[in-house]
């Protein structure tokens, strides 16, 4: 290795006269490069006694000087910065990037190879090619292994006329952000699975079994996903204001059974959260005046409300033996999860309500055993009748009698079942029947492919005196409506996604032979990829005729009543204008 001082030559300047270069040729070791970026990279990694620039590069001298001035700034940035050429070869890289990849020299190496050939997650799967081809910046995310992520932003170095040949690429470590997003997605998935039971499970499991399954799921996700091991959940009794224990793990027995009420004073953090509806982070139990001991040795706690439709229905509390064990992120995650817990509890309530006694269970059994099978008879009959109308009048007439008899049988069974249930055995929420006179005797058609939805429609609406029939898809629903010769359905509740058509399509088909279509569209929150609701509203959907799942029982009843009233008003208006 030569001990001579080094001169960096940008271009072919070694053959110039010494007086022109002001350096003695034999006294120095000359290193020649053809690109300013390559010169910048060498200057950043080696000591040189001087720099010679060929006249052809004088036009770039000012820019090169600015690069030299900015290099220290780029080296001090918290983000990685590299310059790559059209082959993805690195021409320069700052200190941060070299630290991230654990390599002292990254120049002349492929960008992706230096990073260990990461997976490109998008949105642009060829960000460097895109930036060079379009002359516009492009971004993408990279994944290194399972738990490291980088955001890259490639900006072309534009010349006067030619297409760009180099890119300035900033590299930002977004691992924490991506892991947060992954955890949020996992929490959302867990929330969906909390009360996810098949129709068979719902049918065969009793109330207590369903509650225990939900509690097991809550505990599983709280411990394995959120990593909280000391858990207490209480539900608010609206009449008494008492917070009743639902789940307690790791909590001292005495604390778990302690009477607590939704009151901001004298009832610990749990009572404060239930009363205010606000989360509470207790960073040090020894210094917090609100804290009541949950388990011996607890040093910090986090309590969030269980909220449903902006109403507090309970509290979710976790504790730790370490002070300041919970962060703002923990609070955010627990708040999100607690909303799913509240929805799951509400869904469970709608599914199982409460079985007051054996008589009430008998009524439920009648509905479960008879309602859907009779609907199947109706569905089959109208399907067959459609084939004989206009061809075999005697067969069509016989099928109409079958339809009438099936409907009569179901109504008789419903009336007998209501008489079997003594008034004192009816749960409190069922006593609202007397307050819903608009629903009694109303014919309701529910169109949904889900057996559980159709079964629930019978169980919920028939308790208020409705005559409920169901269909699996839009075709069956059309036949069911056409089979009604003694009047129309008062409300038609339809899922926006049916096996054979959208809810909007069914509405338009029914409009062909109905004066006013009393349709109610059901959809999950924010899910309407075909814009069925928007199109239906433009086509004359009645006001307030949309149900967003999961919905409360009172929302279902109110929506049906609203559509019944709106249908009557619209029919009266049409009669006056005709």
């Amino acid at each position: 290795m030569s001990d001579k001082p080094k001169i960096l030559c940008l271009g072919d300047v070694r053959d110039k006269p010494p007086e022109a270069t002001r350096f003695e040729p034999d006294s120095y070791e000359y290193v020649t490069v053809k690109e300013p970026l390559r010169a910048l990279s060498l200057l950043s990694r080696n000591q040189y006694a001087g720099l010679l620039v060929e006249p052809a590069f004088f036009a770039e001298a000012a820019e090169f000087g600015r690069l030299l001035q900015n290099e220290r700034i780029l080296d001090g940035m918290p983000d990685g910065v590299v310059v790559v050429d059209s082959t993805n070869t690195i021409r320069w890289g700052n200190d941060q990037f070299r630290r991230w990849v654990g390599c002292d020299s990254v120049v002349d190496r492929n960008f992706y190879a230096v990073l260990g050939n990461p997976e490109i997650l998008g949105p642009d799967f060829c960000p460097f090619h895109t930036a060079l081809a379009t002359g516009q910046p492009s971004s993408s995310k990279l994944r290194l292994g399972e738990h490291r992520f980088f955001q890259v932003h490639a900006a072309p170095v534009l010349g006067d006329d030619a297409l760009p040949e180099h890119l300035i690429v900033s590299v930002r470590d977004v691992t924490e952000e991506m892991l947060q997003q992954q955890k949020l997605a996992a929490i959302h998935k867990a929330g969906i699975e909390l009360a996810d039971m098949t129709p068979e499970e719902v049918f065969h499991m009793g109330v207590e079994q369903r509650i225990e399954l939900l509690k097991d799921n809550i505990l599983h996700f709280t411990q394995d996903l959120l990593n909280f091991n000391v858990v207490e959940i209480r539900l608010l009794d609206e009449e008494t204001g008492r917070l009743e224990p639902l789940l307690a793990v790791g909590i001292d027995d005495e604390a778990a059974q302690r009477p607590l009420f939704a009151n901001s004073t004298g009832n610990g953090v749990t009572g404060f959260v239930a009363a205010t509806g606000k989360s509470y982070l207790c960073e040090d139990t020894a210094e917090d005046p609100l804290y009541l001991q949950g388990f011996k040795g607890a040093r910090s706690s986090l309590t969030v409300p269980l909220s449903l439709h902006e109403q507090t229905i309970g509290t979710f509390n976790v504790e730790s033996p370490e002070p300041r064990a919970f962060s703002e992120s923990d609070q955010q995650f627990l708040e999100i999860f607690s909303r799913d817990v509240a929805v799951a509890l509400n869904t469970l309530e709608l599914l199982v309500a409460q079985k007051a006694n054996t008589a009430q269970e008998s009524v439920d059994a009648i509905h479960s055993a008879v309602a859907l099978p009779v609907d199947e008879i109706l569905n089959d009959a109208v399907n067959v009748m459609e084939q004989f109308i206009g061809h075999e009048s005697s067969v069509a007439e016989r099928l109409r009698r079958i339809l009438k008899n099936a409907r009569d049988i179901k109504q008789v069974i419903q009336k007998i079942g209501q008489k079997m249930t003594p008034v004192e055995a009816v749960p409190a929420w069922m006593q609202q029947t007397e307050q819903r006179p608009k629903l009694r005797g109303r014919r309701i058609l529910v169109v949904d492919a889900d057996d559980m939805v159709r079964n629930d429609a019978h169980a919920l609406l028939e308790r208020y005196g409705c005559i409920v029939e169901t269909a699996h898809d839009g075709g069956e629903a059309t036949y069911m409506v056409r089979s009604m010769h003694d009047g129309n359905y008062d409300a038609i509740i339809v899922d926006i996604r049916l096996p054979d058509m959208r809810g909007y399509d069914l509405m338009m088909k029914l409009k062909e032979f109905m004066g006013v279509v009393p349709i109610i569209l059901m959809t999950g929150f924010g899910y309407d990829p075909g814009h069925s609701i928007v199109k239906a509203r433009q086509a004359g959907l009645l006001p307030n005729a949309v149900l967003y799942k999961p919905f409360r029982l009172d929302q279902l009843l109110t929506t049906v009543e609203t559509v019944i009233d709106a249908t009557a008003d619209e029919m009266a208006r049409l009669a006056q204008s005709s």
Side-chain angles (χ1 to χ4, degrees):
M1 180 179 294
S2 173
D3 294 330
K4 295 179 180 180
K6 294 180 180 181
I7 300 294
L8 181 62
C9 303
L10 179 56
D12 296 326
V13 295
R14 291 185 59 186
D15 298 332
K16 303 298 179 182
E19 59 272 19
T21 63
R22 297 176 60 191
F23 296 111
E24 294 293 336
D26 296 332
S27 302
Y28 298 92
E29 178 186 347
Y30 291 86
V31 179
T32 302
V33 295
K34 300 291 186 179
E35 298 177 352
L37 287 172
R38 175 66 172 160
L40 177 62
S41 177
L42 291 175
L43 282 173
S44 67
R45 293 185 290 122
N46 301 284
Q47 295 291 329
Y48 290 91
L51 172 67
L52 294 178
V53 181
E54 184 183 1
F57 288 96
F58 285 172
E60 301 180 46
E63 182 65 26
F64 184 62
R66 284 194 293 271
L67 287 174
L68 287 172
Q69 289 178 339
N70 292 335
E71 186 208 357
R72 288 187 177 275
I73 298 175
L74 294 176
D75 263 336
M77 289 182 63
D79 293 346
V81 181
V82 296
V83 178
V84 301
D85 63 17
S86 58
T87 66
N88 296 342
T89 300
I90 298 174
R91 294 306 182 190
W92 179 86
N94 72 345
D95 284 344
Q96 180 64 286
F97 183 78
R98 290 193 291 270
R99 283 194 293 270
W100 277 342
V101 300
C103 183
D104 293 335
S105 177
V106 296
V107 175
D108 294 333
R109 297 181 61 183
N110 181 273
F111 175 83
Y112 293 109
V114 167
L115 286 172
N117 297 313
E119 178 185 358
I120 302 177
L121 302 179
D124 192 336
F125 292 92
C126 299
F128 295 176
H129 174 79
T130 300
L132 288 171
T134 64
Q136 299 295 321
S138 180
S139 298
S140 196
K141 284 187 174 67
L142 311 178
R143 177 165 61 192
L144 286 68
E146 290 296 322
H147 302 295
R148 198 173 187 193
F149 300 86
F150 288 105
Q151 172 87 38
V152 296
H153 180 83
V157 180
L158 300 176
D160 294 334
D161 299 313
L163 290 174
E165 297 180 356
H166 293 88
L167 299 171
I168 296 177
V169 181
S170 63
V171 185
R172 174 166 295 180
D173 190 334
V174 292
T175 299
E176 184 176 351
E177 172 188 334
M178 291 296 291
L179 292 179
Q180 292 272 84
Q181 292 179 5
Q182 288 182 349
K183 192 167 184 178
L184 287 173
I187 290 173
H188 176 65
K189 181 180 179 182
I192 294 174
E193 295 176 356
L194 276 175
D196 186 19
M197 292 180 285
T198 66
E200 291 79 11
E201 289 174 327
V202 172
F203 181 78
H204 290 293
M205 295 173 65
V207 175
E208 293 302 324
Q209 290 175 305
R210 297 175 196 176
I211 293 174
E212 288 303 316
L213 176 61
L214 177 56
K215 288 163 63 175
D216 288 343
N217 286 344
I218 293 172
L219 183 59
H220 166 70
F221 290 123
T222 302
Q223 293 180 331
D224 291 2
L225 180 60
L226 299 176
N227 298 316
F228 301 148
N229 294 314
V230 180
V231 183
E232 182 185 36
I233 297 178
R234 290 181 180 242
L235 297 181
L236 176 62
D237 185 325
E238 293 186 6
E239 292 185 4
T240 64
R242 182 166 175 148
L243 292 161
E244 300 291 350
L246 174 70
L247 174 66
V249 176
I251 300 292
D252 295 342
D253 289 342
E254 183 179 348
Q257 299 303 320
R258 177 192 295 132
L260 292 176
F261 293 84
N263 196 308
S264 57
T265 59
N267 287 269
V269 172
T270 299
F272 175 86
V273 170
T276 63
K278 298 178 180 179
S279 299
Y280 193 95
L281 178 59
C282 174
E283 296 188 333
D284 191 337
T285 59
E287 300 177 358
D288 196 304
L290 279 182
Y291 179 78
L292 297 177
Q293 180 177 297
F295 77 95
K296 189 175 182 180
R299 291 297 308 277
S300 57
S301 71
L302 172 61
T303 310
V304 303
L306 290 176
S307 299
L308 183 69
H309 306 298
E310 299 183 357
Q311 180 180 357
T312 300
I313 65 170
T315 57
F316 197 134
N317 175 56
V318 294
E319 303 194 7
S320 171
E322 300 295 329
R324 297 173 179 81
F326 304 105
S327 64
E328 291 184 1
S329 294
D330 291 326
Q331 179 175 326
Q332 178 189 18
F333 290 141
L334 190 59
E335 287 174 343
I336 293 172
F337 185 61
S338 70
R339 288 198 290 270
D340 290 324
V341 170
V343 170
L345 290 168
N346 184 61
T347 301
L348 183 64
E349 179 184 355
L350 291 178
L351 288 174
V352 305
Q354 53 182 331
K355 297 184 178 179
N357 54 27
T358 304
Q360 181 61 46
E361 291 181 4
S362 299
V363 174
D364 289 343
I366 291 172
H367 285 307
S368 299
V370 175
L372 290 186
V374 171
D375 284 347
E376 294 290 344
I377 294 174
L378 296 175
N379 296 155
D380 290 341
V382 295
N383 273 281
V384 175
M385 189 168 67
E386 286 287 324
Q387 301 176 25
F388 285 95
I389 290 178
H391 302 286
E392 296 285 346
S393 59
S394 61
V395 175
E397 182 59 34
R398 180 166 294 183
L399 287 170
R400 289 192 184 96
R401 289 201 299 270
I402 291 174
L403 286 172
K404 183 179 184 303
N405 291 336
R407 284 168 170 148
D408 289 345
I409 289 171
K410 189 168 65 171
Q411 290 185 45
V412 169
I413 293 174
Q414 182 179 357
K415 291 177 181 178
I416 293 174
Q418 291 173 348
K419 292 179 181 179
M420 287 173 58
T421 309
V423 175
E424 60 271 14
V426 178
W429 54 268
M430 278 190 61
Q431 296 175 16
Q432 297 177 17
T433 302
E434 299 302 322
Q435 302 174 19
R436 300 279 183 174
K438 289 182 182 178
L439 298 180
R440 185 160 297 280
R442 297 292 186 173
R443 295 179 180 271
I444 312 294
L445 177 63
V446 178
V447 190
D448 199 297
D450 191 331
D451 289 349
M452 187 162 61
V453 171
R454 300 197 308 277
N455 189 65
D456 288 346
H458 281 288
L460 295 175
L461 291 172
E462 287 179 354
R463 289 171 181 157
Y464 292 85
C466 296
I467 302 169
V468 179
E469 295 176 359
T470 67
H472 301 77
D473 54 39
E476 278 187 357
T478 304
Y479 298 158
M480 293 288 285
V481 173
R482 276 208 287 251
S483 74
M484 297 287 289
H485 291 282
D486 55 346
N488 290 323
Y489 289 105
D490 296 290
I492 304 172
I493 305 174
V494 181
D495 190 84
I496 65 166
R497 293 180 301 163
L498 298 173
D500 57 344
M501 64 181 71
R502 296 170 300 173
Y504 163 74
D505 298 325
L506 176 57
M507 173 182 166
M508 300 308 295
K509 184 176 289 291
L510 296 180
K511 287 188 73 170
E512 295 175 5
F513 53 88
M514 292 183 73
V516 180
V517 182
I519 200 167
I520 297 170
L521 296 178
M522 290 189 299
T523 179
F525 279 109
Y527 188 87
D528 188 12
H531 305 292
S532 283
I533 295 174
V534 174
K535 292 179 181 178
R537 283 173 172 155
Q538 293 172 345
L541 182 71
L542 294 172
N544 302 313
V546 179
L547 279 171
Y548 293 97
K549 302 176 184 176
F551 47 80
R552 301 192 308 270
L553 175 59
D554 64 309
Q555 291 175 317
L556 168 64
L557 301 177
T558 299
T559 301
V560 172
E561 290 174 334
T562 300
V563 167
I564 289 172
D565 288 340
T567 301
D569 293 342
E570 183 65 14
M571 292 180 68
R573 187 188 67 80
L574 292 175
Q576 290 178 355
S577 61
S578 61

